[in-house]
Amino acid sequence: MNATENSDRQWEQALATVLREQAPMADGASSLVGPSIHRAGRIRRRRQLAVTAAGVVAVAAVATPIAMGAFGRNNAATQPGTSVSAPASGSVSASAPGSVSASVTGSAPATSAASSPTTLSIAALPTGAAPKVTWIEDQGRMAGNSGTSTIHFADGTTVQTPFWARRAAVFGTGVIAEDTPNGAQEGPQVVILDAKGKELDRFYGRGPVASADGSRVAVWRFVKAGDSKVQIFDAKTGSLTPLVDTTWNAEGGYGADPIGFVDADRVIVSPVTEGGTPVPMLVDMTGTLTPVPQLAWVAAVAPSVHQVVASTYNPASAVVYSFDGTPTMLWSTTGQTPEALSADGTLVVTSDPLVDTTGVRTLTVTKVATQQVVATFTVTSFAGVVFEDASHLVFEANDGTAGGLLRCSVDGTCELAVKGTVDTATASSGLRVTTTK
Amino acid sequence: MDTGHGTTITKTESRGRPHDADFTEYVAARQGQMLRFAYLLTGQRAEAEDLLQTAFAKLYLAWGKVDVESSRDAYVRTILVRENASTWRRLWRRREQSVGELTDGSAVDAGFVSSPHESFVDRSLMWQCVCALPPKQRAAVVLRYYEDLSEKATAEILGVSVGTVKSSCSAALRALRTSITASEGGPR
């Protein structure tokens, strides 16, 4: 061994010694079992909000005519100014890699009574029409860390984005969308594209969500360490100058996530954190932030009736809250996770709570007014449940071999609206779905 | 299925409910070592606990797909390394520090007494320099010189080639040597 090698060896040994001596400074922590399981639930919910990688993404439950330019859209029937549907509710769905994955068992689709859950075998489902909600398919997701997306608006028009879009809304003659470069390693970013696909702005943040009439979109914007904002833009004009530009001052976590407009002038925003007891905020057009301590996590919004479905901390339950006047609880249940709310606020969808990632799970549709369960669906991996209309749900699901966007009626029947391809090779992040049509 | 680790996992358990008891048993057995590893990656105890909570949570979510204990260890280490290197986490870590959370200097201030007679470098200074390494270089040296993993195993966790592991460790050692030499005028 020469002198250089000897010196290198000394440095390596010194480094190893330092690391061994430092490591015990971490000893003595209390058990992380409970906090970790609790955090797993938060991660799962966040994945459902499309922060993480998604294959097929159903984006919007509320169809709202607004004008949009022709950028990138390949539906010849749609010209600039034609009515298209804009994401409005913020009820975004995504496949949640690794969150749920066991095989679906049971019969082919069949009509069932509420007391008889519909157990789904995806491969056996009949094929239905494309969803009348906005949804997103990714290209190249299984191949690496970059790719493109096709946003399918509810009227059948499509927009290509040169990145994986998570959420999207019409913005002026272009599009505003959320991008997560390099998968989960990079923070989500909001990108504004003009009608020709030129990037007008890009910043760290989350969103957008659009108001019911599509005239406004809200985003959360990370400015710099310790400084972030909630911004509301005029989506009709596509102006890059926000109508509202207010400091987000909630404590802790990884910033915020706009969930949806509860009416024309107020957007509800959830803090993004994996611990603590974050409180959602209502942000109005004056920029005022009003805490909503009654709620823990808002899952979906029904803007026409100013209602939300959300979870609460104590007791842990799913609730439907009205923000029409004094906030009022309309419905609650325990032991369920909130998923979706119909546009008229009459039906609520919940799921059994997270017990693991691979077990078969049940979606339950309940009438808010009467507590009557009208339908239950037993599924495996699912994400992002949205109402397509008053009686149909759309959500992404896969069973490890088959997957796609499913449409299920409250009468218990289901069909495959968009066929996907399941990625069985993903080692650590679970299953992903991309469309093949 | 015999996992080779003294437990039998039925198909239902491996593909279905993870059995909280199994998860609890795993965390109880591995928390200590993994927390040390996380601490070496972050240099802050609170940050290490937060990071490990996330890693355990993701393991919980993937429990049915990670069947044997050795794979679970590798899975948790992978999550710890990649999560710690995420741009988003670093951005927010800066935020947290900017509002007053100090880097955990307890090791240097109290528990870690540099003993020049036992080492040819000032070890407290070396630890400070380790903490200043870029996250991926730091992860490479912790995996190689603390966990004593092979270059191949280190590469798999980091998601890079073996050559990149070699160059990362070499660059890290060079940076440590340069910093310490500049501060101290060379090894003792």
Side-chain angles (χ1 to χ4, degrees), chain A residues 206-243:
Chain A
R206 294 188 180 91
V209 293
S211 59
D213 65 357
S215 65
R216 292 168 175 163
V217 295
V219 301
W220 171 75
R221 182 176 196 141
F222 176 86
V223 180
K224 62 181 180 180
D227 184 5
S228 70
K229 299 174 181 301
V230 173
Q231 295 182 323
I232 300 175
F233 292 92
D234 184 339
K236 292 284 191 187
T237 64
S239 170
L240 298 181
T241 302
L243 301 170

PDB file of all heavy atoms in Angstrom, chain A residues 206-243:
ATOM      1  N   ARG A 206     -49.202  24.349  -5.921  1.00  0.00           N
ATOM      2  CA  ARG A 206     -50.210  23.308  -6.141  1.00  0.00           C
ATOM      3  C   ARG A 206     -51.484  23.946  -6.687  1.00  0.00           C
ATOM      4  O   ARG A 206     -51.825  25.061  -6.357  1.00  0.00           O
ATOM      5  CB  ARG A 206     -50.528  22.559  -4.848  1.00  0.00           C
ATOM      6  CG  ARG A 206     -49.383  21.740  -4.298  1.00  0.00           C
ATOM      7  CD  ARG A 206     -49.838  20.884  -3.118  1.00  0.00           C
ATOM      8  NE  ARG A 206     -48.744  20.079  -2.579  1.00  0.00           N
ATOM      9  CZ  ARG A 206     -47.947  20.472  -1.608  1.00  0.00           C
ATOM     10  NH1 ARG A 206     -48.120  21.646  -1.061  1.00  0.00           N
ATOM     11  NH2 ARG A 206     -46.963  19.695  -1.195  1.00  0.00           N
ATOM     12  N   GLY A 207     -52.189  23.186  -7.449  1.00  0.00           N
ATOM     13  CA  GLY A 207     -53.424  23.627  -8.049  1.00  0.00           C
ATOM     14  C   GLY A 207     -53.365  23.343  -9.543  1.00  0.00           C
ATOM     15  O   GLY A 207     -52.484  22.616  -9.997  1.00  0.00           O
ATOM     16  N   PRO A 208     -54.287  23.845 -10.307  1.00  0.00           N
ATOM     17  CA  PRO A 208     -55.315  24.800  -9.930  1.00  0.00           C
ATOM     18  C   PRO A 208     -56.615  24.106  -9.554  1.00  0.00           C
ATOM     19  O   PRO A 208     -56.798  22.923  -9.813  1.00  0.00           O
ATOM     20  CB  PRO A 208     -55.517  25.551 -11.239  1.00  0.00           C
ATOM     21  CG  PRO A 208     -55.339  24.468 -12.285  1.00  0.00           C
ATOM     22  CD  PRO A 208     -54.279  23.556 -11.736  1.00  0.00           C
ATOM     23  N   VAL A 209     -57.507  24.874  -8.940  1.00  0.00           N
ATOM     24  CA  VAL A 209     -58.919  24.507  -8.867  1.00  0.00           C
ATOM     25  C   VAL A 209     -59.700  25.679  -9.454  1.00  0.00           C
ATOM     26  O   VAL A 209     -59.277  26.829  -9.342  1.00  0.00           O
ATOM     27  CB  VAL A 209     -59.395  24.216  -7.432  1.00  0.00           C
ATOM     28  CG1 VAL A 209     -58.736  22.954  -6.903  1.00  0.00           C
ATOM     29  CG2 VAL A 209     -59.143  25.391  -6.508  1.00  0.00           C
ATOM     30  N   ALA A 210     -60.810  25.358 -10.096  1.00  0.00           N
ATOM     31  CA  ALA A 210     -61.592  26.391 -10.776  1.00  0.00           C
ATOM     32  C   ALA A 210     -62.927  26.579 -10.084  1.00  0.00           C
ATOM     33  O   ALA A 210     -63.473  25.646  -9.477  1.00  0.00           O
ATOM     34  CB  ALA A 210     -61.810  26.007 -12.236  1.00  0.00           C
ATOM     35  N   SER A 211     -63.450  27.789 -10.190  1.00  0.00           N
ATOM     36  CA  SER A 211     -64.788  28.053  -9.659  1.00  0.00           C
ATOM     37  C   SER A 211     -65.831  27.353 -10.535  1.00  0.00           C
ATOM     38  O   SER A 211     -65.530  26.898 -11.641  1.00  0.00           O
ATOM     39  CB  SER A 211     -65.049  29.558  -9.610  1.00  0.00           C
ATOM     40  OG  SER A 211     -64.929  30.116 -10.901  1.00  0.00           O
ATOM     41  N   ALA A 212     -67.051  27.284 -10.032  1.00  0.00           N
ATOM     42  CA  ALA A 212     -68.088  26.514 -10.723  1.00  0.00           C
ATOM     43  C   ALA A 212     -68.327  27.018 -12.146  1.00  0.00           C
ATOM     44  O   ALA A 212     -68.589  26.227 -13.053  1.00  0.00           O
ATOM     45  CB  ALA A 212     -69.387  26.564  -9.925  1.00  0.00           C
ATOM     46  N   ASP A 213     -68.228  28.326 -12.343  1.00  0.00           N
ATOM     47  CA  ASP A 213     -68.456  28.857 -13.689  1.00  0.00           C
ATOM     48  C   ASP A 213     -67.168  28.960 -14.493  1.00  0.00           C
ATOM     49  O   ASP A 213     -67.172  29.453 -15.621  1.00  0.00           O
ATOM     50  CB  ASP A 213     -69.146  30.222 -13.613  1.00  0.00           C
ATOM     51  CG  ASP A 213     -68.271  31.276 -12.957  1.00  0.00           C
ATOM     52  OD1 ASP A 213     -67.154  30.943 -12.506  1.00  0.00           O
ATOM     53  OD2 ASP A 213     -68.699  32.448 -12.893  1.00  0.00           O
ATOM     54  N   GLY A 214     -66.091  28.494 -13.916  1.00  0.00           N
ATOM     55  CA  GLY A 214     -64.822  28.492 -14.629  1.00  0.00           C
ATOM     56  C   GLY A 214     -64.176  29.854 -14.757  1.00  0.00           C
ATOM     57  O   GLY A 214     -63.155  29.999 -15.441  1.00  0.00           O
ATOM     58  N   SER A 215     -64.711  30.852 -14.089  1.00  0.00           N
ATOM     59  CA  SER A 215     -64.189  32.204 -14.282  1.00  0.00           C
ATOM     60  C   SER A 215     -62.959  32.495 -13.422  1.00  0.00           C
ATOM     61  O   SER A 215     -62.230  33.441 -13.695  1.00  0.00           O
ATOM     62  CB  SER A 215     -65.282  33.238 -13.971  1.00  0.00           C
ATOM     63  OG  SER A 215     -65.642  33.172 -12.598  1.00  0.00           O
ATOM     64  N   ARG A 216     -62.742  31.685 -12.391  1.00  0.00           N
ATOM     65  CA  ARG A 216     -61.604  31.921 -11.503  1.00  0.00           C
ATOM     66  C   ARG A 216     -60.875  30.611 -11.235  1.00  0.00           C
ATOM     67  O   ARG A 216     -61.506  29.557 -11.168  1.00  0.00           O
ATOM     68  CB  ARG A 216     -62.063  32.526 -10.179  1.00  0.00           C
ATOM     69  CG  ARG A 216     -62.591  33.944 -10.323  1.00  0.00           C
ATOM     70  CD  ARG A 216     -63.302  34.407  -9.074  1.00  0.00           C
ATOM     71  NE  ARG A 216     -63.704  35.811  -9.202  1.00  0.00           N
ATOM     72  CZ  ARG A 216     -64.612  36.396  -8.437  1.00  0.00           C
ATOM     73  NH1 ARG A 216     -65.220  35.697  -7.473  1.00  0.00           N
ATOM     74  NH2 ARG A 216     -64.917  37.656  -8.601  1.00  0.00           N
ATOM     75  N   VAL A 217     -59.578  30.711 -11.075  1.00  0.00           N
ATOM     76  CA  VAL A 217     -58.814  29.551 -10.632  1.00  0.00           C
ATOM     77  C   VAL A 217     -57.940  29.966  -9.452  1.00  0.00           C
ATOM     78  O   VAL A 217     -57.478  31.113  -9.382  1.00  0.00           O
ATOM     79  CB  VAL A 217     -57.929  28.952 -11.749  1.00  0.00           C
ATOM     80  CG1 VAL A 217     -58.776  28.391 -12.870  1.00  0.00           C
ATOM     81  CG2 VAL A 217     -56.916  29.961 -12.258  1.00  0.00           C
ATOM     82  N   ALA A 218     -57.757  29.043  -8.547  1.00  0.00           N
ATOM     83  CA  ALA A 218     -56.940  29.294  -7.358  1.00  0.00           C
ATOM     84  C   ALA A 218     -55.764  28.335  -7.347  1.00  0.00           C
ATOM     85  O   ALA A 218     -55.880  27.167  -7.748  1.00  0.00           O
ATOM     86  CB  ALA A 218     -57.778  29.120  -6.091  1.00  0.00           C
ATOM     87  N   VAL A 219     -54.634  28.840  -6.883  1.00  0.00           N
ATOM     88  CA  VAL A 219     -53.434  28.023  -6.717  1.00  0.00           C
ATOM     89  C   VAL A 219     -52.773  28.392  -5.393  1.00  0.00           C
ATOM     90  O   VAL A 219     -53.018  29.458  -4.825  1.00  0.00           O
ATOM     91  CB  VAL A 219     -52.406  28.237  -7.856  1.00  0.00           C
ATOM     92  CG1 VAL A 219     -53.015  27.903  -9.195  1.00  0.00           C
ATOM     93  CG2 VAL A 219     -51.870  29.668  -7.847  1.00  0.00           C
ATOM     94  N   TRP A 220     -51.944  27.499  -4.915  1.00  0.00           N
ATOM     95  CA  TRP A 220     -51.022  27.842  -3.832  1.00  0.00           C
ATOM     96  C   TRP A 220     -49.656  28.016  -4.462  1.00  0.00           C
ATOM     97  O   TRP A 220     -49.241  27.204  -5.301  1.00  0.00           O
ATOM     98  CB  TRP A 220     -50.977  26.730  -2.783  1.00  0.00           C
ATOM     99  CG  TRP A 220     -49.891  26.937  -1.761  1.00  0.00           C
ATOM    100  CD1 TRP A 220     -49.884  27.817  -0.736  1.00  0.00           C
ATOM    101  CD2 TRP A 220     -48.642  26.247  -1.689  1.00  0.00           C
ATOM    102  NE1 TRP A 220     -48.705  27.724  -0.027  1.00  0.00           N
ATOM    103  CE2 TRP A 220     -47.929  26.773  -0.596  1.00  0.00           C
ATOM    104  CE3 TRP A 220     -48.056  25.239  -2.455  1.00  0.00           C
ATOM    105  CZ2 TRP A 220     -46.661  26.314  -0.238  1.00  0.00           C
ATOM    106  CZ3 TRP A 220     -46.788  24.786  -2.099  1.00  0.00           C
ATOM    107  CH2 TRP A 220     -46.107  25.320  -1.000  1.00  0.00           C
ATOM    108  N   ARG A 221     -48.952  29.098  -4.090  1.00  0.00           N
ATOM    109  CA  ARG A 221     -47.677  29.429  -4.718  1.00  0.00           C
ATOM    110  C   ARG A 221     -46.573  29.529  -3.673  1.00  0.00           C
ATOM    111  O   ARG A 221     -46.664  30.311  -2.726  1.00  0.00           O
ATOM    112  CB  ARG A 221     -47.802  30.760  -5.446  1.00  0.00           C
ATOM    113  CG  ARG A 221     -46.541  31.196  -6.180  1.00  0.00           C
ATOM    114  CD  ARG A 221     -46.787  32.471  -6.958  1.00  0.00           C
ATOM    115  NE  ARG A 221     -45.743  32.720  -7.945  1.00  0.00           N
ATOM    116  CZ  ARG A 221     -45.962  33.202  -9.154  1.00  0.00           C
ATOM    117  NH1 ARG A 221     -47.181  33.507  -9.536  1.00  0.00           N
ATOM    118  NH2 ARG A 221     -44.968  33.416  -9.986  1.00  0.00           N
ATOM    119  N   PHE A 222     -45.546  28.716  -3.881  1.00  0.00           N
ATOM    120  CA  PHE A 222     -44.354  28.790  -3.023  1.00  0.00           C
ATOM    121  C   PHE A 222     -43.443  29.864  -3.588  1.00  0.00           C
ATOM    122  O   PHE A 222     -43.077  29.821  -4.765  1.00  0.00           O
ATOM    123  CB  PHE A 222     -43.644  27.436  -3.014  1.00  0.00           C
ATOM    124  CG  PHE A 222     -42.366  27.420  -2.234  1.00  0.00           C
ATOM    125  CD1 PHE A 222     -42.375  27.179  -0.872  1.00  0.00           C
ATOM    126  CD2 PHE A 222     -41.147  27.651  -2.860  1.00  0.00           C
ATOM    127  CE1 PHE A 222     -41.186  27.156  -0.150  1.00  0.00           C
ATOM    128  CE2 PHE A 222     -39.966  27.631  -2.138  1.00  0.00           C
ATOM    129  CZ  PHE A 222     -39.986  27.385  -0.777  1.00  0.00           C
ATOM    130  N   VAL A 223     -43.108  30.841  -2.757  1.00  0.00           N
ATOM    131  CA  VAL A 223     -42.280  31.947  -3.224  1.00  0.00           C
ATOM    132  C   VAL A 223     -40.821  31.718  -2.854  1.00  0.00           C
ATOM    133  O   VAL A 223     -39.929  31.708  -3.701  1.00  0.00           O
ATOM    134  CB  VAL A 223     -42.785  33.287  -2.645  1.00  0.00           C
ATOM    135  CG1 VAL A 223     -41.912  34.437  -3.141  1.00  0.00           C
ATOM    136  CG2 VAL A 223     -44.245  33.511  -3.017  1.00  0.00           C
ATOM    137  N   LYS A 224     -40.591  31.523  -1.586  1.00  0.00           N
ATOM    138  CA  LYS A 224     -39.250  31.214  -1.096  1.00  0.00           C
ATOM    139  C   LYS A 224     -39.416  30.636   0.301  1.00  0.00           C
ATOM    140  O   LYS A 224     -40.543  30.572   0.821  1.00  0.00           O
ATOM    141  CB  LYS A 224     -38.368  32.458  -1.071  1.00  0.00           C
ATOM    142  CG  LYS A 224     -38.878  33.542  -0.140  1.00  0.00           C
ATOM    143  CD  LYS A 224     -37.982  34.775  -0.177  1.00  0.00           C
ATOM    144  CE  LYS A 224     -38.509  35.847   0.769  1.00  0.00           C
ATOM    145  NZ  LYS A 224     -37.674  37.055   0.762  1.00  0.00           N
ATOM    146  N   ALA A 225     -38.329  30.218   0.881  1.00  0.00           N
ATOM    147  CA  ALA A 225     -38.412  29.634   2.215  1.00  0.00           C
ATOM    148  C   ALA A 225     -39.130  30.593   3.159  1.00  0.00           C
ATOM    149  O   ALA A 225     -38.739  31.743   3.305  1.00  0.00           O
ATOM    150  CB  ALA A 225     -37.016  29.329   2.740  1.00  0.00           C
ATOM    151  N   GLY A 226     -40.205  30.129   3.783  1.00  0.00           N
ATOM    152  CA  GLY A 226     -40.946  30.939   4.730  1.00  0.00           C
ATOM    153  C   GLY A 226     -41.943  31.889   4.100  1.00  0.00           C
ATOM    154  O   GLY A 226     -42.541  32.706   4.798  1.00  0.00           O
ATOM    155  N   ASP A 227     -42.149  31.810   2.817  1.00  0.00           N
ATOM    156  CA  ASP A 227     -43.032  32.761   2.137  1.00  0.00           C
ATOM    157  C   ASP A 227     -43.818  32.037   1.051  1.00  0.00           C
ATOM    158  O   ASP A 227     -43.243  31.563   0.071  1.00  0.00           O
ATOM    159  CB  ASP A 227     -42.199  33.888   1.517  1.00  0.00           C
ATOM    160  CG  ASP A 227     -43.071  34.965   0.870  1.00  0.00           C
ATOM    161  OD1 ASP A 227     -44.314  34.888   0.993  1.00  0.00           O
ATOM    162  OD2 ASP A 227     -42.504  35.873   0.245  1.00  0.00           O
ATOM    163  N   SER A 228     -45.109  31.928   1.257  1.00  0.00           N
ATOM    164  CA  SER A 228     -45.947  31.350   0.207  1.00  0.00           C
ATOM    165  C   SER A 228     -47.288  32.068   0.184  1.00  0.00           C
ATOM    166  O   SER A 228     -47.627  32.799   1.121  1.00  0.00           O
ATOM    167  CB  SER A 228     -46.135  29.841   0.421  1.00  0.00           C
ATOM    168  OG  SER A 228     -46.952  29.591   1.542  1.00  0.00           O
ATOM    169  N   LYS A 229     -48.039  31.850  -0.885  1.00  0.00           N
ATOM    170  CA  LYS A 229     -49.262  32.617  -1.087  1.00  0.00           C
ATOM    171  C   LYS A 229     -50.387  31.735  -1.630  1.00  0.00           C
ATOM    172  O   LYS A 229     -50.130  30.703  -2.245  1.00  0.00           O
ATOM    173  CB  LYS A 229     -49.011  33.741  -2.110  1.00  0.00           C
ATOM    174  CG  LYS A 229     -47.962  34.758  -1.701  1.00  0.00           C
ATOM    175  CD  LYS A 229     -47.692  35.730  -2.825  1.00  0.00           C
ATOM    176  CE  LYS A 229     -46.613  36.749  -2.449  1.00  0.00           C
ATOM    177  NZ  LYS A 229     -46.953  37.553  -1.266  1.00  0.00           N
ATOM    178  N   VAL A 230     -51.598  32.170  -1.401  1.00  0.00           N
ATOM    179  CA  VAL A 230     -52.738  31.653  -2.154  1.00  0.00           C
ATOM    180  C   VAL A 230     -53.110  32.735  -3.160  1.00  0.00           C
ATOM    181  O   VAL A 230     -53.265  33.906  -2.793  1.00  0.00           O
ATOM    182  CB  VAL A 230     -53.934  31.342  -1.230  1.00  0.00           C
ATOM    183  CG1 VAL A 230     -55.164  30.972  -2.072  1.00  0.00           C
ATOM    184  CG2 VAL A 230     -53.582  30.208  -0.280  1.00  0.00           C
ATOM    185  N   GLN A 231     -53.203  32.335  -4.421  1.00  0.00           N
ATOM    186  CA  GLN A 231     -53.515  33.302  -5.457  1.00  0.00           C
ATOM    187  C   GLN A 231     -54.776  32.859  -6.208  1.00  0.00           C
ATOM    188  O   GLN A 231     -54.972  31.670  -6.451  1.00  0.00           O
ATOM    189  CB  GLN A 231     -52.353  33.430  -6.450  1.00  0.00           C
ATOM    190  CG  GLN A 231     -51.084  34.005  -5.804  1.00  0.00           C
ATOM    191  CD  GLN A 231     -49.946  34.168  -6.801  1.00  0.00           C
ATOM    192  OE1 GLN A 231     -49.778  33.344  -7.682  1.00  0.00           O
ATOM    193  NE2 GLN A 231     -49.176  35.237  -6.656  1.00  0.00           N
ATOM    194  N   ILE A 232     -55.608  33.823  -6.550  1.00  0.00           N
ATOM    195  CA  ILE A 232     -56.787  33.562  -7.368  1.00  0.00           C
ATOM    196  C   ILE A 232     -56.668  34.401  -8.632  1.00  0.00           C
ATOM    197  O   ILE A 232     -56.407  35.616  -8.567  1.00  0.00           O
ATOM    198  CB  ILE A 232     -58.085  33.914  -6.605  1.00  0.00           C
ATOM    199  CG1 ILE A 232     -58.186  33.053  -5.322  1.00  0.00           C
ATOM    200  CG2 ILE A 232     -59.308  33.671  -7.496  1.00  0.00           C
ATOM    201  CD1 ILE A 232     -59.368  33.413  -4.427  1.00  0.00           C
ATOM    202  N   PHE A 233     -56.818  33.746  -9.769  1.00  0.00           N
ATOM    203  CA  PHE A 233     -56.654  34.408 -11.062  1.00  0.00           C
ATOM    204  C   PHE A 233     -57.982  34.504 -11.806  1.00  0.00           C
ATOM    205  O   PHE A 233     -58.902  33.713 -11.555  1.00  0.00           O
ATOM    206  CB  PHE A 233     -55.660  33.623 -11.930  1.00  0.00           C
ATOM    207  CG  PHE A 233     -54.244  33.649 -11.441  1.00  0.00           C
ATOM    208  CD1 PHE A 233     -53.773  32.660 -10.584  1.00  0.00           C
ATOM    209  CD2 PHE A 233     -53.370  34.651 -11.839  1.00  0.00           C
ATOM    210  CE1 PHE A 233     -52.464  32.667 -10.136  1.00  0.00           C
ATOM    211  CE2 PHE A 233     -52.051  34.670 -11.398  1.00  0.00           C
ATOM    212  CZ  PHE A 233     -51.595  33.677 -10.538  1.00  0.00           C
ATOM    213  N   ASP A 234     -58.032  35.444 -12.726  1.00  0.00           N
ATOM    214  CA  ASP A 234     -59.160  35.547 -13.653  1.00  0.00           C
ATOM    215  C   ASP A 234     -58.917  34.565 -14.792  1.00  0.00           C
ATOM    216  O   ASP A 234     -58.066  34.797 -15.654  1.00  0.00           O
ATOM    217  CB  ASP A 234     -59.262  36.989 -14.178  1.00  0.00           C
ATOM    218  CG  ASP A 234     -60.479  37.181 -15.076  1.00  0.00           C
ATOM    219  OD1 ASP A 234     -60.993  36.171 -15.618  1.00  0.00           O
ATOM    220  OD2 ASP A 234     -60.911  38.328 -15.245  1.00  0.00           O
ATOM    221  N   ALA A 235     -59.668  33.471 -14.790  1.00  0.00           N
ATOM    222  CA  ALA A 235     -59.449  32.438 -15.797  1.00  0.00           C
ATOM    223  C   ALA A 235     -60.042  32.807 -17.145  1.00  0.00           C
ATOM    224  O   ALA A 235     -59.688  32.215 -18.154  1.00  0.00           O
ATOM    225  CB  ALA A 235     -60.029  31.108 -15.318  1.00  0.00           C
ATOM    226  N   LYS A 236     -60.964  33.759 -17.159  1.00  0.00           N
ATOM    227  CA  LYS A 236     -61.558  34.177 -18.436  1.00  0.00           C
ATOM    228  C   LYS A 236     -60.523  34.912 -19.292  1.00  0.00           C
ATOM    229  O   LYS A 236     -60.374  34.636 -20.475  1.00  0.00           O
ATOM    230  CB  LYS A 236     -62.753  35.098 -18.182  1.00  0.00           C
ATOM    231  CG  LYS A 236     -63.951  34.410 -17.547  1.00  0.00           C
ATOM    232  CD  LYS A 236     -64.702  33.569 -18.552  1.00  0.00           C
ATOM    233  CE  LYS A 236     -66.041  33.113 -17.971  1.00  0.00           C
ATOM    234  NZ  LYS A 236     -66.720  32.163 -18.877  1.00  0.00           N
ATOM    235  N   THR A 237     -59.820  35.853 -18.642  1.00  0.00           N
ATOM    236  CA  THR A 237     -58.844  36.644 -19.390  1.00  0.00           C
ATOM    237  C   THR A 237     -57.492  35.951 -19.458  1.00  0.00           C
ATOM    238  O   THR A 237     -56.699  36.211 -20.356  1.00  0.00           O
ATOM    239  CB  THR A 237     -58.640  38.012 -18.725  1.00  0.00           C
ATOM    240  OG1 THR A 237     -58.071  37.826 -17.421  1.00  0.00           O
ATOM    241  CG2 THR A 237     -59.976  38.753 -18.597  1.00  0.00           C
ATOM    242  N   GLY A 238     -57.214  35.105 -18.480  1.00  0.00           N
ATOM    243  CA  GLY A 238     -55.909  34.469 -18.436  1.00  0.00           C
ATOM    244  C   GLY A 238     -54.810  35.423 -18.011  1.00  0.00           C
ATOM    245  O   GLY A 238     -53.633  35.190 -18.288  1.00  0.00           O
ATOM    246  N   SER A 239     -55.180  36.484 -17.318  1.00  0.00           N
ATOM    247  CA  SER A 239     -54.172  37.444 -16.856  1.00  0.00           C
ATOM    248  C   SER A 239     -53.257  36.792 -15.824  1.00  0.00           C
ATOM    249  O   SER A 239     -53.711  36.070 -14.929  1.00  0.00           O
ATOM    250  CB  SER A 239     -54.855  38.659 -16.234  1.00  0.00           C
ATOM    251  OG  SER A 239     -53.898  39.473 -15.581  1.00  0.00           O
ATOM    252  N   LEU A 240     -51.960  37.077 -15.959  1.00  0.00           N
ATOM    253  CA  LEU A 240     -50.999  36.529 -15.002  1.00  0.00           C
ATOM    254  C   LEU A 240     -50.956  37.343 -13.717  1.00  0.00           C
ATOM    255  O   LEU A 240     -50.257  36.969 -12.770  1.00  0.00           O
ATOM    256  CB  LEU A 240     -49.603  36.477 -15.636  1.00  0.00           C
ATOM    257  CG  LEU A 240     -49.476  35.586 -16.879  1.00  0.00           C
ATOM    258  CD1 LEU A 240     -48.046  35.592 -17.401  1.00  0.00           C
ATOM    259  CD2 LEU A 240     -49.920  34.160 -16.573  1.00  0.00           C
ATOM    260  N   THR A 241     -51.657  38.457 -13.687  1.00  0.00           N
ATOM    261  CA  THR A 241     -51.746  39.250 -12.454  1.00  0.00           C
ATOM    262  C   THR A 241     -52.915  38.727 -11.630  1.00  0.00           C
ATOM    263  O   THR A 241     -54.068  38.783 -12.076  1.00  0.00           O
ATOM    264  CB  THR A 241     -51.967  40.736 -12.781  1.00  0.00           C
ATOM    265  OG1 THR A 241     -50.898  41.190 -13.611  1.00  0.00           O
ATOM    266  CG2 THR A 241     -52.018  41.558 -11.502  1.00  0.00           C
ATOM    267  N   PRO A 242     -52.648  38.235 -10.431  1.00  0.00           N
ATOM    268  CA  PRO A 242     -53.737  37.623  -9.668  1.00  0.00           C
ATOM    269  C   PRO A 242     -54.743  38.639  -9.152  1.00  0.00           C
ATOM    270  O   PRO A 242     -54.397  39.781  -8.848  1.00  0.00           O
ATOM    271  CB  PRO A 242     -53.000  36.936  -8.509  1.00  0.00           C
ATOM    272  CG  PRO A 242     -51.706  37.661  -8.384  1.00  0.00           C
ATOM    273  CD  PRO A 242     -51.348  38.145  -9.744  1.00  0.00           C
ATOM    274  N   LEU A 243     -55.992  38.190  -9.062  1.00  0.00           N
ATOM    275  CA  LEU A 243     -57.032  39.001  -8.436  1.00  0.00           C
ATOM    276  C   LEU A 243     -56.840  39.036  -6.934  1.00  0.00           C
ATOM    277  O   LEU A 243     -57.140  40.021  -6.267  1.00  0.00           O
ATOM    278  CB  LEU A 243     -58.413  38.412  -8.756  1.00  0.00           C
ATOM    279  CG  LEU A 243     -58.803  38.281 -10.229  1.00  0.00           C
ATOM    280  CD1 LEU A 243     -60.076  37.450 -10.370  1.00  0.00           C
ATOM    281  CD2 LEU A 243     -58.977  39.662 -10.838  1.00  0.00           C
TER     282      LEU A 243
END
